[in-house]
């Protein structure tokens, strides 16, 4: 059976590490107040514990050196005759326990993981670190935070918008095929669908580093879009970003002298609609209009009214725009 001394050592270790119950804490407080020697013993261990906690944990534990440090703190200038052996043993036990606690906490924190996909709809979720991710259709991400390495890594397939909770000591890096995007405090959109040659990064706010393992790449600031060609292994930049890139998230479209065919393709992609043009005569007609979270019927009616077109709705849920020429 353990002695009362070792019982109190165990309880003190729990109190100092914040793992003691209310009853255990009360028991230690009662023991401390029962004598001045007990209070001094507790305070000495608390000093040891604090110093261990403020320094990086060392796995290569030198018991003799640890004891010498404790001895230097506890020995008085006045020479007295005292048997240090029991205290040496107790201090060694406490230090080993402290090192064990911090080693376990530092090296055994679980890796945080989260994975989700969007299938046929746009989805949004909050990552374990507090960052937000919005996935376009047919996209997926895998998030991993490693406490030991202090790294946050994301693997993206498809398209996603990220509003990153920036932490200088915990880099946030997204792997999009062979390209990498490192957050420098920002919100941005990445498009990287399997089978497509390009990876596209549009920065809405802040700055990101866009690169590969073999190419330092470029820095992209708010309002800019970066492109990486998988086949050519090259980076390029567009100084003015296309705001419609985020339409799948915002349902906001801004068309300025855009040909009608391209506008319809973008709208169909976001709404899963089947808007079709009756003939090629109107395909290149220029449209300048802004839609803000309108329904698909409202969008079609506005386009028809603006461009002098007629609308036909079929039993197959198709919407056909018809006209003979641009207006």
């Amino acid at each position: 059976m353990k002695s009362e001394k070792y019982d109190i050592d165990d309880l003190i270790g729990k109190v100092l590490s914040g793992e003691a119950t209310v009853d255990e804490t009360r028991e230690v407080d009662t023991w401390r107040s029962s004598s001045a020697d007990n209070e001094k013993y507790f305070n000495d261990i608390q000093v040891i514990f604090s110093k261990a906690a403020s320094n990086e944990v060392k796995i290569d534990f030198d018991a003799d050196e640890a004891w010498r440090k404790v001895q230097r703190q506890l020995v008085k200038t006045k020479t007295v005759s005292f048997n240090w052996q029991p205290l040496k043993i107790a201090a060694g036990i406490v230090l080993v326990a402290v090192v064990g606690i911090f080693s376990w906490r530092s090296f055994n924190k679980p890796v945080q993981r989260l994975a989700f996909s969007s299938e046929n709809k746009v989805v949004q979720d909050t990552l374990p670190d507090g960052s937000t991710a919005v996935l376009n259709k047919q996209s997926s991400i895998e998030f991993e935070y490693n406490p030991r390495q202090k790294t946050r890594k994301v693997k993206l397939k498809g398209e996603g918008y990220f509003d990153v909770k920036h932490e200088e000591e915990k880099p946030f890096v997204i792997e999009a095929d062979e390209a990498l995007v490192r957050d420098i405090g920002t919100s941005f959109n990445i498009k990287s669908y399997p089978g497509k040659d390009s990876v596209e990064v549009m920065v809405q706010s802040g700055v990101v580093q866009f690169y590969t393992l073999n190419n330092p790449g470029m820095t992209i600031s708010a309002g800019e879009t970066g492109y990486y060609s998988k086949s050519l292994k090259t980076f390029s930049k567009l100084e003015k970003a296309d705001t419609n890139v985020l339409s799948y998230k915002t349902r906001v479209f801004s068309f300025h002298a855009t040909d009608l065919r391209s506008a319809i393709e973008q709208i169909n992609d976001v709404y899963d609609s089947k808007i079709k043009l009756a003939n090629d005569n109107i395909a290149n007609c220029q449209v300048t209009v802004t839609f803000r979270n309108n329904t698909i019927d409202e969008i079609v009616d506005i386009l028809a009214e603006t461009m002098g077109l007629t609308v036909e709705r079929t039993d197959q849920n198709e919407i056909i725009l018809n006209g003979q020429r641009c207006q």
Side-chain angles (χ1 to χ4, degrees):
M1 179 179 293
K2 294 191 303 180
S3 69
E4 181 182 350
K5 187 65 174 177
Y6 284 106
D7 285 339
I8 199 63
D9 285 340
D10 290 342
L11 290 178
I12 291 174
K14 286 185 177 182
V15 169
L16 294 178
S17 63
E19 298 177 352
T21 65
V22 174
D23 290 339
E24 289 171 336
T25 301
R26 187 181 297 112
E27 183 176 347
V28 171
D29 290 340
T30 301
W31 177 83
R32 291 173 59 187
S33 62
S34 65
S35 73
D37 288 340
N38 288 354
E39 180 65 19
K40 182 178 184 302
Y41 183 82
F42 177 90
N43 291 335
D44 290 339
I45 294 179
Q46 189 174 42
V47 169
I48 297 170
F49 190 96
S50 300
K51 289 184 176 297
S54 63
N55 293 288
E56 182 178 352
V57 176
K58 295 183 179 180
I59 303 302
D60 296 327
F61 180 71
D62 188 335
D64 291 334
E65 177 59 22
W67 166 243
R68 283 192 290 272
K69 290 181 180 179
V70 174
Q71 192 176 41
R72 285 196 294 270
Q73 294 178 48
L74 298 181
V75 68
K76 296 181 179 179
T77 54
K78 182 180 178 180
T79 303
V80 295
S81 177
F82 190 78
N83 184 3
W84 288 98
Q85 191 63 24
L87 184 56
K88 178 177 180 180
I89 295 173
I93 292 173
V94 173
L95 282 177
V96 170
V98 168
V99 171
I101 290 171
F102 282 93
S103 295
W104 186 88
R105 289 183 174 179
S106 298
F107 294 95
N108 290 278
K109 288 183 178 180
V111 175
Q112 299 178 31
R113 292 186 174 90
L114 175 68
F116 64 96
S117 57
S118 59
E119 304 300 335
N120 294 317
K121 62 180 180 180
V122 176
V123 298
Q124 176 176 328
D125 205 342
T126 300
L127 303 180
D129 69 331
S131 300
T132 301
V134 181
L135 293 186
N136 200 352
K137 291 172 289 187
Q138 306 302 325
S139 303
S140 65
I141 65 169
E142 296 177 6
F143 173 88
E144 177 184 291
Y145 168 59
N146 189 319
R148 288 186 61 185
Q149 299 176 359
K150 292 186 177 181
T151 55
R152 295 176 290 169
K153 297 180 181 179
V154 174
K155 287 187 178 181
L156 169 69
K157 290 183 180 180
E159 182 171 15
Y161 173 87
F162 298 88
D163 189 356
V164 178
K165 182 180 179 181
H166 184 69
E167 296 184 58
E168 192 67 36
E169 297 180 353
K170 300 176 183 177
F172 191 101
V173 179
I174 298 178
E175 178 183 327
D177 207 323
E178 61 192 72
L180 300 169
V181 178
R182 183 186 178 98
D183 155 67
I184 312 179
T186 185
S187 56
F188 52 93
N189 192 79
I190 303 178
K191 184 182 293 185
S192 178
Y193 283 99
K196 300 291 185 180
D197 180 64
S198 65
V199 177
E200 174 185 324
V201 179
M202 191 278 283
V203 178
Q204 186 176 38
S205 65
V207 182
V208 302
Q209 185 66 31
F210 190 24
Y211 63 104
T212 68
L213 294 177
N214 300 313
N215 190 323
M218 63 176 66
T219 298
I220 310 173
S221 302
E224 299 178 335
T225 301
Y227 299 90
Y228 173 71
S229 171
K230 300 176 189 176
S231 59
L232 299 177
K233 311 296 182 186
T234 57
F235 289 89
S236 60
K237 184 188 293 187
L238 180 65
E239 300 294 338
K240 186 176 181 180
D242 179 6
T243 57
N244 290 338
V245 167
L246 297 179
S247 295
Y248 74 91
K249 170 180 175 287
T250 63
R251 293 295 175 100
V252 174
F253 295 89
S254 181
F255 299 118
H256 180 73
T258 305
D259 65 88
L260 184 57
R261 187 194 302 277
S262 297
I264 293 300
E265 288 176 352
Q266 293 183 51
I267 294 169
N268 281 340
D269 185 54
V270 170
Y271 283 85
D272 280 332
S273 54
K274 297 180 180 179
I275 305 175
K276 295 184 176 181
L277 302 180
N279 58 72
D280 291 335
N281 294 335
I282 58 175
N284 293 319
C285 293
Q286 304 295 294
V287 55
T288 298
V289 66
T290 297
F291 299 111
R292 297 184 182 277
N293 207 28
N294 296 91
T295 66
I296 193 62
D297 288 329
E298 289 172 340
I299 291 174
V300 169
D301 291 341
I302 291 172
L303 286 174
E305 179 68 23
T306 302
M307 308 185 74
L309 305 174
T310 61
V311 180
E312 176 187 352
R313 291 176 171 83
T314 70
D315 295 337
Q316 288 76 37
N317 294 322
E318 293 181 342
I319 303 175
I320 301 175
L321 291 175
N322 198 359
Q324 295 303 314
R325 58 187 178 85
C326 301
Q327 177 176 317

